[in-house]
Amino acid sequence: MLPDFSEPIVNISVAIGRDATFTCHVRHLGGYRVGWLKADTKAIQAIHEHVITHNPRVTVSHADQNTWNLHIKSVTEEDRGGYMCQLNTDPMKSQIGYLDVVIPPDFIAEDTSSDVIVPEGSSVKLTCRAKGYPGPVVTWRREDGNEIALKDATGAKQLVTSYRGEVLKLTKISRSEMGSYLCIASNGVPPSVSKRISLSIHFHPVIQVPNQLVGAPLATDVTIECQVEASPKSINYWVKDTGEMIVSSPKYHVHDVIKSLYETKMSMTVRSFQKEDVGSYRCIAKNSLGEVDSSIRLYEIPGPNRKIYSPKLHLNDTGKELMAGKHNTKPKVNFPLDDEELQYGSAEDLDDTLDLPGGTGSTHHQHQHGHHHHYPPSVNGAGQAYKPVGSGSAGTGSVRNPYDHPNAVHGLAGSAG
């Protein structure tokens, strides 16, 4: 009986540098012999138990007359292809198994971007060229997890969590796109590889002031803040209106908090606020592209020491009219005057004034004691301090608002005339 193959040769896929083994299963071999050939070149690898090729990485073995093995150590790309197991019958019998040598991805250094620094508003191309077998796929994402902004020729923007392609083009970039970008190359052969490319976007410093006018009672601690955006990082400091630089000391606490790659919160605390601390303070940010500053004004507000009185209703003529059923009049509530009211007048005086012809009866004034007062910044964006406008009379005279404390920002309540 002539020999035959009992099962086909299994194809093999091996990563470069690993070992590969083909097994040829034969039955009824008898006195016949088993040979191995490289299918594409017909180069004989081995006959029976003898290696013919001069490749030292090739060996043969067999467990019995039915199982014959061809071993290739540390495979290379040149080993890729078909290998034939052959029986020297007449006619010859053979079968082929295929070796696929796969290569994990790697980056081509000379074709891959390094860290990039560009001005805000410009465009940039980030490139990652990868090699491997099969050909790798390159995917981009941001290291911080934020979305990538893709813009087309019309300027339309699309936000994506990842982008596939060797070249990532970013146009009209803004500071929010600053950060590290990861390109990841994979082809199903472990391990995948990634490269980190840092994108720095440079721009002139900008300062935003949450409150440009801050009030505090004496003997309390008061903190003022400036929000700075700058790249490269700016040098930040505070100065008094006298031009003297402020540094941390028992009187002042100066502190910067880094919020992002380009954002910093500047804060300065004045301890035990006193009358001589009233005035303007400037926060200044400076980098290689420019310098910017903004001003914050500190002022004094009365402390939490005002006396509170319970109202007493006097049955004067108005009360008698109410009890008589005359509802067109309103009761008058009297409060004992405190020191400020003795000096500036009482709230009732204001109400009477506002009820006069030509008065602004629809105006409502509030003045809180014992709390810091924060006024919103002006809209000019240039960091100019808020300047209260005192209102004069357009007619014959002006009436002083009893709530116009010397340290308040209200000014005089003028009559319309």
Side-chain angles (χ1 to χ4, degrees):
M1 181 181 293
L2 293 176
D4 197 5
F5 300 109
S6 58
E7 56 185 86
I9 299 177
V10 177
N11 297 329
I12 304 172
S13 180
V14 179
I16 191 168
R18 300 294 185 92
D19 298 342
T21 297
F22 286 104
T23 300
C24 188
H25 298 275
V26 183
R27 56 191 171 193
H28 314 304
L29 182 59
Y32 292 92
R33 296 190 170 199
V34 176
W36 290 97
L37 293 83
K38 185 80 181 296
D40 53 353
T41 61
K42 305 299 183 184
I44 299 174
Q45 305 295 301
I47 296 177
H48 222 55
E49 298 177 353
H50 303 287
V51 175
I52 305 299
T53 180
H54 296 291
N55 186 346
R57 297 181 292 109
V58 175
T59 58
V60 291
S61 67
H62 64 99
D64 51 37
Q65 290 296 97
N66 300 324
T67 306
W68 298 81
N69 303 310
L70 174 70
H71 306 283
I72 308 172
K73 294 183 179 181
S74 302
V75 298
T76 66
E77 288 189 79
E78 291 73 22
D79 296 326
R80 188 182 292 126
Y83 290 80
M84 179 186 296
C85 176
Q86 188 179 88
L87 302 178
N88 62 338
T89 56
D90 187 16
M92 178 206 50
K93 294 181 178 180
S94 65
Q95 61 177 357
I96 298 177
Y98 289 91
L99 172 63
D100 192 16
V101 180
V102 295
I103 304 173
D106 195 11
F107 292 112
I108 304 172
E110 57 270 22
D111 295 333
T112 297
S113 300
S114 55
D115 293 346
V116 181
I117 300 175
V118 293
E120 190 171 37
S122 61
S123 299
V124 65
K125 287 183 180 180
L126 304 181
T127 303
C128 272
R129 303 281 185 196
K131 60 184 179 180
Y133 185 85
V137 173
V138 175
T139 304
W140 293 86
R141 65 178 180 85
R142 293 185 62 169
E143 188 177 49
D144 56 13
N146 290 333
E147 293 178 311
I148 298 173
L150 301 177
K151 304 181 186 74
D152 59 20
T154 65
K157 182 167 69 171
Q158 179 185 7
L159 297 177
V160 297
T161 55
S162 63
Y163 174 78
R164 179 174 291 188
E166 290 187 330
V167 179
L168 174 64
K169 184 177 182 180
L170 303 173
T171 59
K172 296 181 181 178
I173 52 179
S174 65
R175 62 195 65 180
S176 62
E177 297 175 75
M178 186 186 309
S180 295
Y181 289 73
L182 297 177
C183 60
I184 304 162
S186 57
N187 64 351
V189 182
S192 296
V193 291
S194 65
K195 180 175 175 60
R196 180 178 181 269
I197 300 175
S198 175
L199 174 60
S200 297
I201 302 172
H202 284 184
F203 56 91
H204 189 286
V206 177
I207 289 181
Q208 295 179 346
V209 179
N211 299 289
Q212 289 186 304
L213 189 59
V214 179
L218 296 180
T220 61
D221 293 352
V222 58
T223 299
I224 55 179
E225 295 179 350
C226 291
Q227 309 285 352
V228 178
E229 295 184 5
S231 178
K233 286 290 185 183
S234 56
I235 299 172
N236 306 322
Y237 58 97
W238 295 86
V239 297
K240 297 181 181 178
D241 48 9
T242 60
E244 177 186 356
M245 183 181 295
I246 299 173
V247 295
S248 289
S249 65
K251 179 64 179 177
Y252 303 104
H253 176 64
V254 178
H255 185 54
D256 282 5
V257 176
I258 297 176
K259 299 172 63 179
S260 72
L261 290 173
Y262 60 90
E263 295 174 297
T264 302
K265 183 178 77 172
M266 299 175 60
S267 66
M268 192 271 289
T269 301
V270 180
R271 299 187 177 103
S272 187
F273 181 62
Q274 300 299 320
K275 286 185 179 295
E276 56 267 25
D277 297 321
V278 170
S280 294
Y281 296 80
R282 285 194 305 140
C283 53
I284 300 174
K286 180 188 301 185
N287 71 4
S288 59
L289 299 180
E291 176 180 341
V292 68
D293 68 90
S294 190
S295 181
I296 301 175
R297 182 160 186 83
L298 285 182
Y299 71 99
E300 175 196 350
I301 61 173
N305 54 1
R306 241 179 117 143
K307 298 178 182 178
I308 304 299
Y309 296 94
S310 299
K312 295 180 181 180
L313 181 64
H314 298 279
L315 287 180
N316 51 17
D317 292 339
T318 301
K320 293 175 183 178
E321 290 174 354
L322 283 172
M323 295 186 66
K326 297 179 180 180
H327 302 293
N328 293 331
T329 59
K330 59 183 179 181
K332 186 168 185 179
V333 180
N334 294 331
F335 294 85
L337 300 179
D338 62 12
D339 294 340
E340 288 185 4
E341 290 172 328
L342 288 173
Q343 181 180 357
Y344 300 112
S346 68
E348 290 77 11
D349 297 332
L350 173 61
D351 294 336
D352 294 341
T353 300
L354 298 180
D355 288 336
L356 293 174
T360 55
S362 62
T363 304
H364 179 65
H365 293 268
Q366 289 184 344
H367 192 76
Q368 298 176 346
H369 295 274
H371 301 282
H372 294 186
H373 287 192
H374 295 278
Y375 292 84
S378 60
V379 297
N380 58 20
Q384 298 300 317
Y386 171 83
K387 295 181 180 178
V389 178
S391 58
S393 169
T396 58
S398 60
V399 181
R400 183 171 181 85
N401 184 338
Y403 291 112
D404 286 332
H405 188 276
N407 295 321
V409 297
H410 300 301
L412 296 179
S415 59

